[in-house]
Amino acid sequence: MAASGKAFDFKLFKRLLAYTNAYRLTFYFVGFAAIVMSGLSILQPALLRQAIDNSIIPQDGEGLMFYIILMIAVLILDVIFQFAFIFYANWLGQSVIKDIRVKLFRLMLSFQMRYYDKSAVGRLTTRAVNDIETISSIFSQGLFMIISDLLKMLVIMGFMLYQSWRLSLIVFAILPIILYATRVFQRAMKTAFEEVRNQVANLNSFVQERITGMKIVQIFTREETEYERFQQINEKHKKAWIKTVWYNSIFFPIAEMSSSVAIGMIAWYGGLNAAEGGVITVGLIAMFIQLSQMLFRPLRQIADKFNTLQMGMVAANRVFGILDTKSHIQDHGTVEMCRSEGLIEFDNVHFGYNDDEEVIKGISFMVNPGETVAIVGATGAGKSTIINLLSRFYEINAGEIRIDGINTKEYTLSSLRKQIAVVLQDVFLFADSIVNNITLNDPGISEADVISAAKEIGVHKFIESLPDGYRYNVQERGTTLSSGQRQLIAFLRAYVSNPEILVLDEATSSVDSYSEEMIQKATEKITHGRTSIVIAHRLATIKKADKILVMEAGKIVETGTHSELLKREDGHYRNLYEVQFMAEEML
């Protein structure tokens, strides 16, 4: 990571430039255009001097027209190369960020859930969208513009010395002031821009979370509190930006004043020399005034463009921070799980979301092919964690999980997850049609397959009753559907994938009786003939299970069927049944 106090991180810059290797011809052309533009920059002032000294003062109208035609030709050439330079510099920038964004998203798809548990969604969105867009400005407005301006300055300074060393010394005497001011400005802006990016990320994260959780905010009447917090965050964001404005407001007047002083001194010294019949001519004075402006203008622009470059570098530093993150589920397996028999074994498995706190404490159990196992227990007992571990969303700390007698780490991650369908309690739907939410755009599952599956598990009529049926757009997170309807879509999504192993978190605490009946039928249909692990919330599911695992504080404390476990006096399951399920059975 780049240190905030460092004016420029060349190691980071070199890493960023590596992404231009795929576009070398464009990169070289933009560099060539910058060289040509630097050469064209001195032709206009040189032609102006010749026109004044050789045509205007001697009153040679024909000669003046010749110089005007030459200046027009130079101007046209300059316009052509500027167009090509600007267009291809921007094209290169957009091509580079496209590649970085694709690489970043590909990497984010492979991160384990532990990474997302600890990362704010708004901050990640800022990195993947805003920060990457800022990186493009390194090429479009930063790097090549700075190179072009530096080349112009070098050519202009060399040409000045060649034309008149006396007038050149006057101009060069002012340069150290601007150079020193530019250096101080660059360092200050580096720190300021890092603060700006931090505040932008904080603002994005806060707004996204509050919009997502707006129902909670309003239910608990926290509108005023959240509004005040937003004001505080927004105030910090404003102060960070005002700091950059403050530095700009100091630097640019100093640069402008220095330029004006240089022009005044050229006019004073050159005018006196010309009046006394010296070697300095009126045309030379006019040329030096124009050249000095051309020299100081890029210097001021370089400082401004260096701001852009710094913002891009800060953004690149943040994006590379994610690209360097080592938070992947290791996919070193070589065994392809073509079709699972459905035999699942947990052998002394230990796991904790944090290193200092175990959630699963050495559990062992077996699920035979085609068997349905229900897991019950109090909240926080570790039931949902088993779902995450079976699909390898998290790496276990110790022990072994086997499917068909083979350690799950030996399977390729893709083939393992294709054989396991998971229906979570918190159903997530994308802002898309119902059919696309079911197939997840899998070309191997047709709409006809979806309709057929929907009829089999009894949800076809419900979907058909919606506007546009299977083409109905559920909006972001499926907010246009009830929780029961969302869960029915999730059941159908699992069913059409035709898995050999099914994992269900079938909570129905907020589901109406009609949806619950449909969910019960769907559960019976999709678990039939499949190895199923069900985090059971309904007595009907528990009674039909071939085996019940009772969990408490990360351990399996009892195992057996419903009737077997009820016979145990003071047993964990019996106590749980009396508290949680007896009222349901009496209805």
Side-chain angles (χ1 to χ4, degrees):
M1 304 289 271
S4 60
K6 190 186 281 188
F8 195 78
D9 191 330
F10 284 97
K11 186 177 180 181
L12 180 66
F13 186 64
K14 184 179 179 181
R15 182 177 178 183
L16 188 61
L17 278 183
Y19 284 91
T20 66
N21 289 341
Y23 311 101
R24 283 182 181 172
L25 287 178
T26 303
F27 184 88
Y28 293 145
F29 175 78
V30 173
F32 171 73
I35 295 171
V36 173
M37 286 164 59
S38 66
L40 292 172
S41 65
I42 62 169
L43 290 181
Q44 287 279 9
L47 289 172
L48 177 63
R49 176 194 177 182
Q50 296 298 323
I52 292 173
D53 289 343
N54 299 335
S55 299
I56 294 176
I57 292 177
Q59 297 182 348
D60 179 7
E62 189 175 328
L64 179 62
M65 186 56 65
F66 172 73
Y67 286 116
I68 289 174
I69 292 170
L70 282 179
M71 283 191 278
I72 290 172
V74 171
L75 179 63
I76 291 171
L77 271 176
D78 192 42
V79 167
I80 291 172
F81 274 96
Q82 279 200 43
F83 165 77
F85 176 81
I86 293 170
F87 176 81
Y88 285 106
N90 278 273
W91 183 91
L92 182 64
Q94 290 300 318
S95 298
V96 166
I97 67 167
K98 179 207 70 175
D99 293 344
I100 296 176
R101 187 176 280 131
V102 167
K103 183 177 180 180
L104 180 67
F105 189 71
R106 166 65 70 181
L107 192 70
M108 289 171 71
L109 287 173
S110 67
F111 283 159
Q112 57 180 303
M113 291 301 108
R114 191 190 300 270
Y115 177 82
Y116 293 105
D117 293 341
K118 298 178 180 179
S119 303
V121 174
R123 195 172 292 273
L124 290 176
T125 304
T126 300
R127 300 291 178 267
V129 181
N130 301 53
D131 283 343
I132 289 185
E133 197 63 44
T134 304
I135 291 173
S136 72
S137 63
I138 291 178
F139 300 96
S140 61
Q141 302 171 42
L143 171 66
F144 291 116
M145 291 292 186
I146 290 173
I147 290 173
S148 176
D149 287 344
L150 285 173
L151 283 172
K152 283 181 182 179
M153 289 173 63
L154 289 173
V155 171
I156 288 169
M157 289 171 70
F159 186 67
M160 279 181 163
L161 283 170
Y162 176 74
Q163 292 296 318
S164 173
W165 65 269
R166 292 180 178 87
L167 292 179
S168 296
L169 289 179
I170 292 173
V171 176
F172 296 166
I174 308 297
L175 277 178
I177 299 172
I178 299 182
L179 289 172
Y180 177 74
T182 302
R183 183 65 172 170
V184 173
F185 179 66
Q186 289 169 355
R187 288 187 177 274
M189 291 301 282
K190 166 73 172 178
T191 304
F193 279 134
E194 285 192 337
E195 178 63 18
V196 166
R197 298 313 302 169
N198 275 329
Q199 295 306 325
V200 168
N202 290 338
L203 192 62
N204 283 352
S205 180
F206 183 88
V207 171
Q208 184 156 347
E209 284 185 352
R210 269 59 191 180
I211 290 174
T212 304
M214 189 58 70
K215 183 181 290 186
I216 298 299
V217 172
Q218 293 183 357
I219 286 172
F220 291 94
T221 63
R222 307 305 294 168
E223 293 94 337
E224 285 301 318
T225 303
E226 296 302 328
Y227 175 70
E228 289 172 7
R229 290 185 64 192
F230 177 76
Q231 280 190 312
Q232 293 171 3
I233 293 172
N234 207 28
E235 180 67 21
K236 289 180 180 178
H237 178 259
K238 184 195 79 172
K239 286 180 178 178
W241 269 112
I242 285 188
K243 189 179 288 186
T244 68
V245 174
W246 167 253
Y247 293 141
N248 277 298
S249 65
I250 294 174
F251 172 75
F252 287 103
I254 291 174
E256 192 64 37
M257 182 182 69
S258 301
S259 177
S260 299
V261 169
I263 291 171
M265 290 180 68
I266 290 170
W268 170 72
Y269 177 79
L272 287 177
N273 186 279
E276 293 173 357
V279 294
I280 297 176
T281 64
V282 174
L284 186 63
I285 293 171
M287 183 182 76
F288 259 79
I289 288 174
Q290 189 174 4
L291 286 172
S292 65
Q293 289 177 319
M294 292 174 64
L295 179 64
F296 289 125
R297 190 187 306 121
L299 194 56
R300 294 196 301 271
Q301 290 175 348
I302 283 175
D304 193 31
K305 291 177 178 105
F306 200 87
N307 294 344
T308 301
L309 185 62
Q310 291 284 41
M311 285 194 74
M313 293 295 287
V314 170
N317 190 39
R318 295 177 183 279
V319 171
F320 285 140
I322 298 179
L323 289 174
D324 294 337
T325 299
K326 305 299 181 185
S327 183
H328 308 86
I329 294 294
Q330 297 300 316
D331 190 11
H332 300 316
T334 56
V335 180
E336 289 287 334
M337 187 188 293
C338 298
R339 204 67 189 165
S340 172
E341 295 177 10
L343 175 63
I344 301 171
E345 298 170 89
F346 274 60
D347 186 0
N348 195 29
V349 173
H350 291 259
F351 171 76
Y353 293 101
N354 301 310
D355 295 335
D356 57 348
E357 184 180 357
E358 271 197 345
V359 177
I360 299 297
K361 304 171 183 178
I363 66 171
S364 298
F365 67 89
M366 179 184 291
V367 184
N368 294 312
E371 201 171 48
T372 296
V373 171
I375 304 176
V376 298
T379 301
K383 306 185 297 296
S384 296
T385 302
I386 289 177
I387 294 176
N388 294 327
L389 298 182
L390 183 63
S391 299
R392 289 196 68 200
F393 290 129
Y394 298 87
E395 295 282 21
I396 61 176
N397 298 341
E400 194 171 286
I401 301 174
R402 295 184 292 273
I403 295 179
D404 299 339
I406 299 174
N407 192 318
T408 53
K409 292 182 180 180
E410 296 181 28
Y411 290 114
T412 62
L413 202 56
S414 177
S415 68
L416 170 69
R417 289 178 178 170
K418 281 180 180 178
Q419 295 300 311
I420 303 172
V422 179
V423 179
L424 298 173
Q425 178 179 344
D426 183 17
V427 177
F428 187 92
L429 298 180
F430 296 95
D432 203 340
S433 66
I434 284 182
V435 68
N436 286 342
N437 267 289
I438 293 168
T439 65
L440 297 177
N441 297 299
D442 184 347
I445 304 173
S446 67
E447 186 170 346
D449 295 331
V450 173
I451 295 172
S452 175
K455 290 177 180 177
E456 287 180 29
I457 67 172
V459 298
H460 174 68
K461 289 183 179 180
F462 141 64
I463 297 175
E464 281 288 285
S465 68
L466 296 171
D468 301 322
Y470 287 85
R471 296 293 173 181
Y472 177 66
N473 191 307
V474 301
Q475 304 303 319
E476 187 175 3
R477 300 182 68 88
T479 53
T480 58
L481 301 177
S482 69
S483 58
Q485 290 172 331
R486 288 197 296 271
Q487 196 161 48
L488 288 169
I489 299 300
F491 272 93
L492 187 52
R493 178 194 287 168
Y495 188 61
V496 297
S497 65
N498 195 26
E500 287 302 310
I501 298 172
L502 191 65
V503 183
L504 303 177
D505 189 346
E506 39 126 40
T508 55
S509 56
S510 58
V511 174
D512 59 87
S513 57
Y514 175 70
S515 295
E516 184 170 359
E517 184 180 349
M518 293 180 69
I519 290 171
Q520 181 63 33
K521 291 179 180 178
T523 302
E524 292 175 8
K525 180 66 179 178
I526 67 176
T527 57
H528 180 70
R530 287 186 175 86
T531 302
S532 304
I533 297 178
V534 183
I535 296 178
H537 299 267
R538 290 190 304 275
L539 183 61
T541 303
I542 296 170
K543 283 184 172 181
K544 292 177 182 178
D546 299 300
K547 187 191 304 179
I548 300 170
L549 307 179
V550 185
M551 293 193 68
E552 185 174 294
K555 296 181 179 180
I556 296 176
V557 291
E558 289 179 348
T559 304
T561 63
H562 174 68
S563 58
E564 290 171 351
L565 293 175
L566 280 182
K567 294 175 183 177
R568 300 184 185 180
E569 293 288 341
D570 294 325
H572 290 83
Y573 179 78
R574 180 164 177 167
N575 292 333
L576 186 68
Y577 167 78
E578 289 173 352
V579 172
Q580 188 172 339
F581 300 119
M582 187 174 287
E584 181 183 341
E585 190 170 42
M586 293 172 66
L587 291 177

